[in-house]
């Protein structure tokens, strides 16, 4: 038995122990190199992101709204990695562009950015920038932007959606409206702080002083205070201002007019029933005043007891004013309410 067991021990002693398959060493080496490469790539991305955020914070410390050209736009907005939101105003501020709306929108945009920059909640999760058409024409073409100003939000991940483009034509470009839109898109709430504006106070003080001085000079004859015609004119001015949409303009802050950047055509009447331009409210005010003047002349021709020929002329002038300007007013109404004249089927 002992003689037979010896060869068996020799065979066992001559076998090589197999803890791992012979082909696993290249696989382990490849896996190790892959892990090292992935770790290095991740660290490289983190370093790149840190450099981008540091650069953006440096720009924000100098200016709350920094300018971007094509290269900066592609590096800081289009190219990953990015863990911050970017609000971009696409505008045309060069004098040769003659974009008055762009200048007004830029002022509101600057107020909003300053409110964020100097607030206690300021952080590196939201930045404000702008791209001028003359400095980034390729960006306008890439994003298919046909009008200025245009406000867009670029989220930290993914592409901008339809709601990431601010509806300026419907809402206006007031800083408060922009802040509300940013809160909806980024969950960052910005409290708008406007610089003190004493022009209204000064104007009111001048008006009170003027009225007070007039009353003092006429203190011995104040019968004009009881003049019905004067108070009627004042009342009509207030009515015209309110019915033409001046209060809506004050709240929404719409542009005065719109200039097409392609053909240079200026539009004073907005095509939507939900929005109006400032110039449009002025046109409506003049039309209402002209129609009212026509009605006053018609009433004067009917109630006065003067010469018949003169009354006939006054009647014709009043009738002409009413017919012409009311037709003009009705044409504007039709251009904004495309379904007019309405039929019974529209209300079923």
């Amino acid at each position: 038995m002992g003689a037979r067991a010896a060869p068996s021990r020799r065979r066992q002693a001559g076998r090589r122990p197999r803890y791992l398959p012979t082909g696993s060493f290249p696989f382990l080496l490849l896996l190790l190199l892959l892990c090292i490469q992935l770790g290095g790539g991740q660290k490289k991305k983190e370093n790149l992101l840190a450099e981008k955020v540091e650069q953006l914070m440096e720009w924000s410390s100098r200016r709350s709204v920094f300018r971007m050209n094509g290269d900066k736009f592609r590096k800081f907005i289009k190219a990953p990695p990015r863990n911050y939101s970017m609000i971009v105003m696409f505008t045309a501020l060069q004098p040769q562009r003659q974009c008055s709306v762009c200048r007004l929108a830029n002022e509101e945009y600057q107020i909003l950015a300053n409110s964020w920059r100097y607030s206690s909640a300021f952080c590196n999760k939201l930045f404000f920038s702008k791209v001028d058409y003359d400095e980034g024409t390729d960006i306008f073409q890439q994003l298919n932007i046909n009008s200025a100003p245009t406000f867009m939000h670029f989220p930290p991940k993914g592409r901008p959606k339809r709601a990431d483009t601010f509806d300026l034509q419907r809402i206006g470009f007031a800083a408060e409206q922009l802040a509300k839109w940013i809160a909806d898109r980024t969950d960052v709430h910005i409290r708008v702080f406007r610089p003190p504006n004493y022009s209204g106070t000064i104007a009111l003080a001048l008006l009170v002083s003027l009225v007070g001085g007039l009353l003092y000079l006429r203190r011995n004859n104040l019968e004009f205070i009881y003049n019905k015609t004067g108070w009627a004119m004042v009342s009509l001015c207030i009515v015209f201002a309110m019915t033409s949409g001046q209060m809506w303009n004050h709240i929404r802050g719409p542009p005065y007019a719109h200039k097409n950047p392609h053909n240079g055509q200026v539009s004073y009447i907005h095509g939507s029933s939900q929005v109006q331009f400032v110039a449009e409210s002025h046109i409506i005010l003049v039309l209402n005043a002209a129609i009212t003047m026509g009605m006053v002349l018609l009433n004067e021709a009917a109630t006065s007891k003067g010469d018949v020929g003169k009354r006939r002329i006054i009647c014709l002038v009043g009738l002409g004013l009413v017919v012409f300007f009311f037709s003009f007013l009705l044409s504007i109404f039709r251009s904004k309410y495309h379904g007019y004249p309405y039929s019974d089927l529209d209300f079923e």
Side-chain angles (χ1 to χ4, degrees), residues 50-103:
E51 291 177 0
K52 293 169 68 174
V53 173
E54 182 180 0
Q55 182 64 68
L56 292 174
M57 290 295 290
E58 181 181 353
W59 288 341
S60 297
S61 64
R62 298 175 182 175
R63 291 184 177 181
S64 54
V65 179
F66 45 85
R67 306 176 75 96
M68 280 197 169
N69 54 23
D71 295 335
K72 292 180 180 179
F73 182 84
R74 284 183 284 270
K75 178 180 179 181
F76 291 94
I77 297 181
K78 299 295 290 185
R82 192 175 73 249
N83 64 347
Y84 50 84
S85 294
M86 182 73 72
I87 308 297
V88 183
M89 180 180 72
F90 298 91
T91 183
L93 295 174
Q94 296 300 324
Q96 65 269 19
R97 300 298 174 185
Q98 298 180 357
C99 182
S100 58
V101 181
C102 295
R103 292 192 293 270

Side-chain angles (χ1 to χ4, degrees), residues 11-274:
R11 286 194 298 268
Q12 292 177 0
R15 292 176 181 174
R16 183 171 57 187
R18 296 185 178 181
Y19 299 103
L20 291 173
T22 56
S24 63
F25 292 101
F27 174 76
L28 289 177
L29 182 60
L30 181 61
L31 183 61
L32 180 61
L33 292 175
L34 182 61
C35 291
I36 294 175
Q37 185 177 5
L38 290 176
Q42 183 66 24
K43 189 174 182 180
K44 185 178 180 181
K45 287 184 179 180
E46 293 177 356
N47 293 336
L48 178 59
L49 178 60
E51 291 177 0
K52 293 169 68 174
V53 173
E54 182 180 0
Q55 182 64 68
L56 292 174
M57 290 295 290
E58 181 181 353
W59 288 341
S60 297
S61 64
R62 298 175 182 175
R63 291 184 177 181
S64 54
V65 179
F66 45 85
R67 306 176 75 96
M68 280 197 169
N69 54 23
D71 295 335
K72 292 180 180 179
F73 182 84
R74 284 183 284 270
K75 178 180 179 181
F76 291 94
I77 297 181
K78 299 295 290 185
R82 192 175 73 249
N83 64 347
Y84 50 84
S85 294
M86 182 73 72
I87 308 297
V88 183
M89 180 180 72
F90 298 91
T91 183
L93 295 174
Q94 296 300 324
Q96 65 269 19
R97 300 298 174 185
Q98 298 180 357
C99 182
S100 58
V101 181
C102 295
R103 292 192 293 270
L104 296 175
N106 183 62
E107 294 176 0
E108 292 293 316
Y109 190 59
Q110 193 70 46
I111 291 174
L112 175 64
N114 288 337
S115 300
W116 167 244
R117 172 63 184 83
Y118 298 105
S119 69
S120 58
F122 175 73
C123 63
N124 58 4
K125 298 300 181 182
L126 178 66
F127 298 98
F128 291 85
S129 64
K130 60 184 175 183
V131 176
D132 195 277
Y133 179 79
D134 294 286
E135 299 174 359
T137 308
D138 55 335
I139 303 175
F140 276 74
Q141 296 175 353
Q142 180 183 355
L143 298 177
N144 196 24
I145 298 177
N146 300 320
S147 62
T150 297
F151 297 93
M152 288 188 64
H153 164 244
F154 292 88
K157 296 181 180 179
R159 296 181 178 181
K161 300 178 181 179
R162 183 175 182 181
D164 288 312
T165 300
F166 182 68
D167 192 354
L168 184 144
Q169 298 295 337
R170 186 177 63 87
I171 304 177
F173 50 75
E176 291 77 9
Q177 298 297 331
L178 287 169
K180 183 178 179 181
W181 168 67
I182 291 175
D184 293 337
R185 305 310 304 164
T186 65
D187 290 332
V188 175
H189 298 271
I190 303 175
R191 184 180 178 183
V192 177
F193 292 95
R194 291 185 176 273
N197 185 3
Y198 301 105
S199 59
T201 304
I202 294 175
L204 180 61
L206 290 176
L207 179 62
V208 172
S209 301
L210 181 62
V211 173
L214 180 62
L215 292 177
Y216 178 78
L217 294 176
R218 299 289 301 273
R219 61 185 181 275
N220 296 325
N221 184 12
L222 297 178
E223 294 181 358
F224 68 95
I225 296 180
Y226 304 98
N227 191 326
K228 295 181 180 180
T229 304
W231 287 111
M233 296 297 294
V234 173
S235 301
L236 282 176
C237 291
I238 296 175
V239 171
F240 291 152
M242 295 298 106
T243 55
S244 62
Q246 294 295 332
M247 185 58 67
W248 191 92
N249 295 339
H250 179 73
I251 296 173
R252 296 295 183 90
Y256 186 81
H258 175 70
K259 184 177 182 180
N260 193 314
H262 299 289
N263 53 24
Q265 183 179 1
V266 180
S267 299
Y268 298 100
I269 305 295
H270 198 280
S272 173
S273 61
Q274 304 296 324

Side-chain angles (χ1 to χ4, degrees), residues 295-313:
M295 296 299 297
V296 170
L297 292 178
L298 288 174
N299 180 72
E300 183 69 19
T303 57
S304 64
K305 299 180 180 180
D307 182 59
V308 176
K310 184 178 179 180
R311 291 170 57 188
R312 185 179 293 111
I313 294 175

